[in-house]
Amino acid sequence: MRPATLRDDRLVGWLTAGAVTALAAALRLPSLGRPHVLVFDETYYVKDAWTLLKLGYEAQWPTTPDPAFETGHVSIYSTTASYVVHPQVGKWLIAGGLQLLGAKNPVGWRLAAVLAGILSVLMLTRIARRLFRSTALGALAGGLLAIDGQAIVLSRTALLDGFLMMFVLAAFGALLIDRDQARARLERLTAPPRAPSRWGPGLGLRPWRLAGGVLLGLAIGTKWSALWFLAVFGVMTLLWDASARRRAAVVHRWQGTLLRDAVPAFLSLVPVALLTYLATWFSWFRTPGSYGRHWAQDHPGEGVTWLPPALRSLLKYHQDMWTFHTHLETPHAYAASPLGWLIQWRPTAFYYETPTPAQQVCGAAHCSEAVTSVGNPLIWWLGTLAVAACVWWALRRRDGVAAAALSGILAGWVPWFPYAHRTIFTFYAIVFAPWMILSLTVACSRLLRWGEAEPARRTLVRGAVALLVVLVVGVSWYFYPLWTAQPVTFRTWQLHQWLISWA
C-alpha cells in the first residue's frame, strides 16, 4: 500500500500544481495585447530584442520611434550599434515571442514574459511543496504568486525583471532537489552497519547543482544583480551539505563539508555560471557590428593586454556598463528607496490613458486605463511581518526552512541599500517576491501547527486562514483592472489611487 500512496500523493501534487498554474494563466493571458503601446521600459527591451533578432545586436532607432513602431513600422532602425547596459538573455527571450508572432503584434512583445510568469508560478508551487513537504502549502505559495499584482503586471510587460525572477527561482529549485538527493545518498552511504564516519564520503558529480550553476549564469546574463543570488545560494547549498552530514552522524561535519563539498560546490556554481554567462554573449562575439566589438583593435596597448582581443573588448564594454549602473542618478517620479519595497510604499505607474469616446468604452463620462505595478497589499504587508518572524526563527531557533525562505530576500533586496541613491524602482522587488511568499507560507505553516495542538484552536486557526484567503482574493479582484489596463470609470480609478496612496 505504501508505494501506491506515494504515487497517489505525487499525482495529487502535480494535479494541484496544474490547477494553480491554470489560475495564473487565466489571470495573465486574457487581452495580453492591451495596451497596444510600448509600456514603460518596453520601449527599450522590445526594440532591442527586434534588432537582436534581425541584426544580431542592439541597434539605434530614430528619435521618438515608438508611435511608428506601435503602428507597425518596425523596420525603421539603423544598422549602427546602440550602447545598452544590460546583457542579452532577457532580450533574446523577448525576441523569441517576436519571431513567433511578429513585432507588429503586442502579444508577441509580451509572449515570453507571460510564459515566464506562468512557469514561475508552477515552479514556486512545486518548490514550496518540496520545502514544506505539503501539497496544500505548495498550493498556497503558488496561489499567492498567481494572484499577486506585481507578479501579474511583470508577467504582462516585456521587462527583464520577470525573466530574472524565473531564472533565480529555477536555480533555487535545482539546488533544493540537489539537497534532497545529496541527503538521501549520504544516508545510504553512512547507514548501519557502517561505523560513524569522521568526515563522511564525497558525493561525486551532482547534476542538479550543475544545473543550478547554468541557471544562475542565465540569470546574470539577464541582469547583473543575479550575482548576489550566486553568492547567497552558494553559501546556502554548503549549509545544506553540513546539515546533511549532521543528519548522517558524521563526526566532523563542518570539516567534512569544507573538505568534501566546498570545492565541488564552488566548481559547480561559479565557473559554470561564468562560462554560461560568457556563452550568452554569443551574438556579440560573432557579429562584427556589435557595440564595442572592435575596441581592442582600435585601442592597441590599452586595457588588459594579455586577454584575447574579443575578451579585452568585452571587458571594456563591461567596465562602461558598470560605470553606468553605479552612477545612474537621473531623477524619476517613481524612483523608490528599497526601504519601502516590502510594503509597496511607492509603486511604479507603467501606463495611463483616458480612452475616448468614454461613454462607449466604460459607460461613463470619463474613463481611465492604467497599469500600476503594485503588489496585493495584504500579501506584501503580511509578508513583511512574516520576513521579520523568519529572521527570528532562523537565528534563534535554527529553523532551516525559515532560513531558506530568507535566502532570496537576502540576495534580492538587501544588496540594493548601498545603491539607494541610484534611480531604482519598487518593481525590482518582483525578483524576491517568491521568497517573500515563502516566508509568509512559513508563518502559515507554524500557525496551522499551533492550531492543531488543541481542538479549540483548530477551528479558530482554520477559520482565520480561510478568512485571510478570502480577503486576499478579494483585494486582488478589486485591483485586477489596475494591473491589466482594463477601462474603468474615472471615479473608480481615483478610488484605486486613493487606496494605493493611503496604503
Side-chain angles (χ1 to χ4, degrees), residues 236-499:
M236 179 184 69
T237 192
L238 280 181
L239 292 175
W240 280 344
D241 285 344
S243 173
R245 291 183 182 276
R246 178 185 61 80
R247 290 159 61 100
V250 172
V251 177
H252 300 296
R253 65 179 183 274
W254 287 109
Q255 294 90 327
T257 300
L258 293 175
L259 292 170
R260 305 288 198 198
D261 300 319
V263 172
F266 177 85
L267 295 176
S268 297
L269 294 178
V270 177
V272 170
L274 175 61
L275 291 174
T276 302
Y277 175 77
L278 285 175
T280 66
W281 287 87
F282 68 95
S283 68
W284 185 90
F285 282 112
R286 75 179 186 183
T287 311
S290 299
Y291 182 87
R293 179 65 179 81
H294 298 291
W295 181 87
Q297 290 90 328
D298 297 338
H299 298 80
E302 297 183 35
V304 184
T305 55
W306 56 267
L307 284 174
L311 289 179
R312 186 152 59 97
S313 298
L314 184 63
L315 179 59
K316 176 60 170 64
Y317 188 8
H318 277 57
Q319 290 171 339
D320 293 342
M321 292 164 67
W322 175 258
T323 300
F324 173 88
H325 285 303
T326 53
H327 292 83
L328 178 63
E329 298 184 19
T330 305
H332 195 287
Y334 291 101
S337 167
L339 188 63
W341 290 1
L342 295 186
I343 56 173
Q344 299 289 285
W345 190 273
R346 180 61 172 161
T348 312
F350 281 3
Y351 167 80
Y352 179 79
E353 186 59 73
T354 54
T356 55
Q359 192 70 31
Q360 297 179 14
V361 175
C362 68
H366 300 283
C367 293
S368 294
E369 294 178 351
V371 177
T372 303
S373 180
V374 58
N376 183 304
L378 287 181
I379 293 175
W380 285 84
W381 295 345
L382 294 174
T384 300
L385 296 176
V387 167
C390 282
V391 171
W392 171 263
W393 292 325
L395 295 179
R396 296 293 297 175
R397 301 189 180 181
R398 298 186 179 181
D399 187 323
V401 175
L406 292 172
S407 63
I409 296 169
L410 180 62
W413 179 50
V414 175
W416 283 105
F417 280 89
Y419 302 99
H421 61 282
R422 277 193 47 198
T423 306
I424 53 180
F425 303 95
T426 298
F427 71 84
Y428 291 1
I430 189 61
V431 178
F432 62 82
W435 288 270
M436 167 78 78
I437 289 171
L438 286 176
S439 298
L440 185 55
T441 309
V442 171
C444 288
S445 69
R446 282 182 164 267
L447 179 62
L448 289 170
R449 286 204 305 269
W450 177 80
E452 292 297 324
E454 294 182 12
R457 296 178 187 171
R458 188 179 303 128
T459 302
L460 177 63
V461 168
R462 289 181 178 179
V465 171
L467 177 61
L468 179 61
V469 170
V470 170
L471 289 174
V472 169
V473 171
V475 169
S476 289
W477 172 81
Y478 182 77
F479 280 108
Y480 187 71
L482 195 65
W483 300 332
T484 57
Q486 293 183 14
V488 296
T489 66
F490 184 66
R491 186 180 299 276
T492 300
W493 179 82
Q494 284 182 311
L495 181 58
H496 283 152
Q497 295 302 305
W498 178 81
L499 288 173

Side-chain angles (χ1 to χ4, degrees), residues 130-133 174-191 201-206 208-209 236-250 253 257 261 398-404:
R130 179 177 290 269
L131 190 63
F132 295 101
R133 307 295 178 186
L175 294 176
L176 187 62
I177 296 173
D178 171 75
R179 181 202 70 171
D180 291 347
Q181 291 185 350
R183 281 181 178 178
R185 187 176 179 190
L186 193 60
E187 288 174 2
R188 287 196 305 270
L189 293 175
T190 58
L203 297 177
L205 182 66
R206 294 164 63 168
W208 281 104
R209 192 144 68 180
M236 179 184 69
T237 192
L238 280 181
L239 292 175
W240 280 344
D241 285 344
S243 173
R245 291 183 182 276
R246 178 185 61 80
R247 290 159 61 100
V250 172
R253 65 179 183 274
T257 300
D261 300 319
R398 298 186 179 181
D399 187 323
V401 175

Side-chain angles (χ1 to χ4, degrees), residues 5-345:
T5 302
L6 290 175
R7 283 196 297 271
D8 291 344
D9 184 63
R10 190 177 298 116
L11 177 61
V12 170
W14 278 110
L15 289 175
T16 302
V20 174
T21 306
L23 171 64
L27 294 174
R28 287 159 173 76
L29 289 172
S31 302
L32 185 60
R34 185 182 62 222
H36 194 118
V37 296
L38 294 168
V39 172
F40 202 67
D41 281 352
E42 283 186 337
T43 185
Y44 305 115
Y45 303 131
V46 172
K47 298 200 299 288
D48 283 348
W50 184 236
T51 55
L52 265 179
L53 192 62
K54 293 300 179 180
L55 302 174
Y57 57 87
E58 301 93 332
Q60 294 182 12
W61 294 75
T63 305
T64 62
D66 287 5
F69 188 92
E70 292 159 0
T71 55
H73 298 85
V74 299
S75 300
I76 56 175
Y77 53 84
S78 73
T79 57
T80 303
S82 176
Y83 170 57
V84 296
V85 295
H86 288 298
Q88 297 181 342
V89 171
K91 288 171 278 188
W92 274 116
L93 292 175
I94 296 171
L98 300 177
Q99 177 68 23
L100 287 173
L101 300 179
K104 299 179 181 181
N105 187 345
V107 176
W109 308 345
R110 299 161 186 152
L111 180 62
V114 77
L115 293 178
I118 294 169
L119 179 59
S120 296
V121 171
L122 173 62
M123 288 192 296
L124 182 61
T125 305
R126 298 296 299 176
I127 286 169
R129 180 181 183 271
R130 179 177 290 269
L131 190 63
F132 295 101
R133 307 295 178 186
S134 167
T135 297
L137 291 175
L140 174 64
L144 291 176
L145 187 63
I147 66 174
D148 179 62
Q150 195 169 89
I152 291 173
V153 170
L154 269 295
S155 296
R156 293 172 54 89
T157 312
L159 304 188
L160 302 182
D161 304 83
F163 300 123
L164 178 57
M165 177 191 72
M166 176 187 69
F167 282 126
V168 294
L169 183 60
F172 181 82
L175 294 176
L176 187 62
I177 296 173
D178 171 75
R179 181 202 70 171
D180 291 347
Q181 291 185 350
R183 281 181 178 178
R185 187 176 179 190
L186 193 60
E187 288 174 2
R188 287 196 305 270
L189 293 175
T190 58
R194 295 180 177 87
S197 174
R198 184 180 180 187
W199 292 336
L203 297 177
L205 182 66
R206 294 164 63 168
W208 281 104
R209 192 144 68 180
L210 286 171
V214 171
L215 289 163
L216 287 167
L218 292 172
I220 298 167
T222 303
K223 270 192 166 184
W224 283 0
S225 53
L227 283 165
W228 292 106
F229 285 89
L230 176 62
V232 171
F233 287 177
V235 173
M236 179 184 69
T237 192
L238 280 181
L239 292 175
W240 280 344
D241 285 344
S243 173
R245 291 183 182 276
R246 178 185 61 80
R247 290 159 61 100
V250 172
V251 177
H252 300 296
R253 65 179 183 274
W254 287 109
Q255 294 90 327
T257 300
L258 293 175
L259 292 170
R260 305 288 198 198
D261 300 319
V263 172
F266 177 85
L267 295 176
S268 297
L269 294 178
V270 177
V272 170
L274 175 61
L275 291 174
T276 302
Y277 175 77
L278 285 175
T280 66
W281 287 87
F282 68 95
S283 68
W284 185 90
F285 282 112
R286 75 179 186 183
T287 311
S290 299
Y291 182 87
R293 179 65 179 81
H294 298 291
W295 181 87
Q297 290 90 328
D298 297 338
H299 298 80
E302 297 183 35
V304 184
T305 55
W306 56 267
L307 284 174
L311 289 179
R312 186 152 59 97
S313 298
L314 184 63
L315 179 59
K316 176 60 170 64
Y317 188 8
H318 277 57
Q319 290 171 339
D320 293 342
M321 292 164 67
W322 175 258
T323 300
F324 173 88
H325 285 303
T326 53
H327 292 83
L328 178 63
E329 298 184 19
T330 305
H332 195 287
Y334 291 101
S337 167
L339 188 63
W341 290 1
L342 295 186
I343 56 173
Q344 299 289 285
W345 190 273

